Amino acid sequence: MSEITVPDLPDNTVTPSQVVFDGTPLAIEAIVALARREATAVLSDAPDFRARITRGMAFLDQLLEEDGRIYGVTTGYGDSCETAVPVDRAWELPVHLYTFHGCGLGRLLEADETRAVLAARLASLCQGYSAVSPALLEQLAAFLAHDVLPCIPAEGSVGASGDLTPLSYVAAALCGEREVVYAGRRQPAAEALAAIGRAPLRLRPKEALAIMNGTAVMTGLACLAWSRAAHLAALSATLTAGAVAAVDGNPYHYDETLFRAKPHPGQLRAAARIRTLLGDSRAPRHASRLQDRYSLRCAPHVIGVLEDALDWSRRWIETELNSANDNPLVDPDEQRVLHGGHFYGGHVALAMDALKTAVASVADLMDRQLATLVDTRYNNGLPANLSGATGDEAPLNHGLKAVQIGASAWTAEALKLTMPATAFSRSTECHNQDKVSMGTIASRDCLRVLELTEQVAAAMLVAVRQGIGLRLKMGGALPQPLQPFFSRLEAAIPLLTRDRALESELRALLAQMRAGRWQDA
C-alpha cells in the first residue's frame, strides 16, 4: 500500500495580486484578497492542468457510453440513489438537482462572502477529481473576474451532504437562472451573462453535483472569519497596552522571563506585542498596587488562546480549501469512481466553533477592560465614565456611560452564540444524511461573533483614546512605542469634552477595522 502524504500548504506571508487556479494549494489570504477585490482570479491554461481536467470528463463520458452505474449521474440523489436514471436522460438530472434545492431563506450572503464561496468552489473543482468540463471552470472564473455574484440565501445547509441548497444558487446562476448582483444592480443571471459576453452554461452529467455537493460555503466563510479573527487578536493586544497606559498600570506583568515559564506560542506573541508597546519595565510602578486586575494582567493568556486557535485552525481550513470535497470523486489517472463522504464539513465546523469561542472570550476581555477604564474605583484617578467635561459642565455630562453599556450588550450576545453548532447534528433526507456537520451554521455564527466583538473593539478604541488623553492632561506620560498608535487615535476620534452621539464615529471605526486599517496598529 502506498503511503498517504499531505501536500505542503502554501507560503502565507504575501497577499497576491493575481490568484491562479491550477489545482495547487491556495492560502486563506488568497481567498480573502479575491473576496475584497484586492486580487483577480485567473484560470490556468497550463497544458498539464487542462489535460487532467479533460481526462476526468472523458472518463465519465466513457462510463456513460458503457452504461456504467454512477451515483448522481445515472441514479437519483441521496436516499433516491436506488432509483435508476436512463443514460439518455442523464443530461436532464443536473437541472433537477439545482432546481429542487432552490429553497434557501434568510439574508443573502454579502458580496465578499459570495466571492469567497465562488473562489472556494473553484479551488476544489480544480483539484481534478470532479469530472467537470473546462467550460464550467471558465464560467466560475468569469463570475469572479467580472464580479457577477449569485444571490445566495445564507440559511438551509446542514453541512453534509455539502452546502447543497446555497450552492444551488451558484449552479443555477452559471446556467443563466435565478438572480445575481452585477454592476451594482440585482438582475436576472441571464442578463448579467449577456453583459459580460458569456452564454448560459449547459451542465454536463454530474456537474450540478460537483458544484453543490461540497463545502464551499462554510469554507469560504471560514476564510473570511479566520482573517478577521487574526486582525482582532493583534488589535486586542494593542488595545490592552493602551488600557494599561490609560490606567497607569504595571508593564512588568508582560515580562519576557515570566512568559518563558509558560510558553504557549500564541500567549508569547500576545505578551511580546503588549510588552513592546509599553516598554520593557521590570520594576513595580506602584508600591501599593503590585498586581493589576485580571483583564489587564491576564490579557496575554486570553488573547493567546485565540492566537493558538488561529494557528491550528489555519491548517484545517486550508486543507479543506485545497481538497476535492464532492461525491463521488472521479480519479482521472486510475480511472476509478470513488464513492465517499468528502462533502462532510466536520473540520471546518469544529474550527469555527472553537474560533468563535476564543473570539467571544476576547470580547469579554475587552468589555472588562472598558469597565475598568470608566470606573473611578479602578482607573487610578481618571474621571468617572472618562468624561472630559470640567467646571460647571461636569455634572451634566456622562462620557462613555452608554458606550460601556453597549459594549456589555454586544459581549453578552457574542458569548450567547458560543453554543457549539457541531453539537446539533440532525438526521435529514429520509435518514440518508443521518449525521451532519453543521459547518455552515458554525461559520455563520463565527462571523456574527466577530461582528459583535469588533463592535466591542470599536468601543475600546474610543475608551483608550479618551483614557490616554485624559491621563496626559493629568500630567501622565505615554510610553514612546505607543505614541504612533495614540496619534492615530487622536486623528480618528476627537477628545470627548462634551457629550456627543458616538454612533457615526463607532461605525467609521468598524469600517476601518474591517478594511484592515487597524490591524497593524
Side-chain angles (χ1 to χ4, degrees):
M1 181 180 294
S2 61
E3 182 180 357
I4 297 175
T5 59
V6 177
D8 290 334
L9 292 175
D11 177 3
N12 300 304
T13 59
V14 178
T15 298
S17 59
Q18 188 179 79
V19 177
V20 178
F21 288 85
D22 59 3
T24 58
L26 297 176
I28 287 172
E29 285 80 0
I31 303 304
V32 173
L34 287 169
R36 293 179 174 174
R37 299 287 283 170
E38 294 169 355
T40 55
V42 176
L43 185 66
S44 174
D45 58 3
D48 288 350
F49 167 69
R50 294 280 178 152
R52 177 175 174 79
I53 299 299
T54 302
R55 284 201 310 276
M57 179 182 67
F59 175 54
L60 186 69
D61 287 346
Q62 176 187 329
L63 290 177
L64 286 173
E65 289 176 6
E66 297 170 355
D67 199 21
R69 187 165 179 265
I70 309 167
Y71 168 74
V73 179
T74 55
T75 75
Y77 297 112
D79 183 62
S80 303
C81 65
E82 300 301 323
T83 302
V85 174
V87 172
D88 62 359
R89 306 292 299 273
W91 283 75
E92 300 175 47
L93 199 56
V95 177
H96 283 268
L97 183 64
Y98 71 67
T99 298
F100 77 80
H101 275 99
C103 56
L105 292 175
R107 70 173 178 89
L108 297 182
L109 295 185
E110 300 289 344
D112 62 337
E113 295 171 337
T114 304
R115 295 183 195 111
V117 169
L118 295 176
R121 200 72 215 121
L122 183 57
S124 180
L125 296 180
C126 284
Q127 301 305 308
Y129 284 101
S130 301
V132 299
S133 64
L136 170 54
L137 303 183
E138 288 161 3
Q139 193 87 316
L140 263 175
F143 270 40
L144 279 169
H146 294 279
D147 207 29
V148 178
L149 305 179
C151 294
I152 305 175
E155 298 172 10
S157 173
V158 292
S161 172
D163 291 315
L164 290 167
T165 289
L167 288 175
S168 78
Y169 290 80
V170 175
L174 295 173
C175 299
E177 297 184 34
R178 301 186 196 167
E179 290 187 313
V180 300
V181 174
Y182 172 65
R185 182 173 66 86
R186 186 168 173 172
Q187 57 189 280
E191 289 184 14
L193 281 169
I196 65 172
R198 296 194 66 87
L201 195 65
R202 186 191 179 198
L203 293 178
R204 294 169 44 83
K206 192 188 175 298
E207 287 192 328
L209 197 61
I211 296 167
M212 294 165 53
N213 197 201
T215 60
V217 177
M218 68 180 80
T219 303
L221 299 184
C223 289
L224 298 180
W226 190 97
S227 178
R228 287 168 68 174
H231 295 167
L232 191 64
L235 178 57
S236 63
T238 302
L239 286 169
T240 296
V244 171
V247 301
D248 197 22
N250 291 300
Y252 65 80
H253 289 318
Y254 315 101
D255 183 87
E256 183 176 5
T257 302
L258 173 68
F259 278 88
R260 280 204 304 266
K262 187 177 180 179
H264 293 293
Q267 184 172 284
L268 289 172
R269 292 196 300 271
R273 187 177 184 90
I274 299 168
R275 181 173 62 249
T276 299
L277 289 169
L278 290 175
D280 194 2
S281 173
R282 301 188 180 193
R285 180 171 291 177
H286 306 285
S288 62
R289 184 163 47 83
L290 291 176
Q291 295 190 152
D292 292 328
R293 281 177 156 67
Y294 283 17
S295 62
L296 299 178
R297 191 185 352 149
C298 300
H301 308 76
V302 178
I303 300 167
V305 171
L306 174 55
E307 288 274 5
D308 285 322
L310 286 163
D311 285 349
W312 64 259
S313 63
R314 173 193 276 280
R315 186 163 188 88
W316 284 19
I317 295 165
E318 288 182 341
T319 297
E320 190 73 33
L321 172 66
N322 294 294
S323 72
N325 47 60
D326 55 300
N327 174 59
L329 299 185
V330 177
D331 188 327
D333 300 318
E334 295 186 10
Q335 294 203 330
R336 297 173 62 203
V337 177
L338 307 166
H339 292 90
H342 284 357
F343 47 69
Y344 192 91
H347 282 79
V348 175
L350 186 60
M352 290 293 96
D353 272 351
L355 204 61
K356 75 183 182 186
T357 302
V359 168
S361 182
V362 170
D364 195 39
L365 175 78
M366 292 188 293
D367 176 57
R368 295 298 83 212
Q369 291 174 345
L370 200 162
T372 298
L373 283 167
V374 301
D375 194 325
T376 56
R377 293 173 296 175
Y378 314 121
N379 66 15
N380 300 319
L382 293 174
N385 300 304
L386 299 181
S387 174
T390 58
D392 59 4
E393 289 290 311
L396 300 175
N397 286 268
H398 291 74
L400 301 184
K401 183 184 286 285
V403 169
Q404 191 270 324
I405 295 170
S408 184
W410 304 325
T411 300
E413 188 172 349
L415 293 169
K416 178 177 72 71
L417 289 172
T418 58
M419 178 71 74
T422 48
F424 289 90
S425 176
R426 317 296 300 148
S427 181
T428 66
E429 206 255 312
C430 299
H431 295 294
N432 175 54
Q433 300 174 13
D434 59 347
K435 174 63 176 171
V436 294
S437 76
M438 312 304 282
T440 307
I441 295 173
S443 290
R444 289 195 290 107
D445 280 352
C446 190
L447 286 170
R448 177 59 179 155
V449 168
L450 278 159
E451 181 180 33
L452 291 160
T453 304
E454 287 163 351
Q455 290 172 192
V456 180
M460 269 296 287
L461 284 168
V462 175
V464 167
R465 186 268 180 268
Q466 190 75 4
I468 293 176
L470 293 172
R471 180 67 65 187
L472 293 176
K473 281 180 171 288
M474 295 164 56
L478 183 66
Q480 192 280 327
L482 258 178
Q483 186 60 58
F485 174 61
F486 182 64
S487 296
R488 289 180 62 188
L489 285 176
E490 284 187 299
I493 312 161
L495 189 70
L496 192 67
T497 58
R498 183 184 179 89
D499 286 347
R500 66 176 185 265
L502 290 168
E503 179 189 346
S504 61
E505 291 168 61
L506 290 167
R507 289 190 183 278
L509 290 168
L510 282 170
Q512 294 163 11
M513 198 183 304
R514 289 164 187 166
R517 285 182 53 191
W518 289 99
Q519 70 187 73
D520 57 349

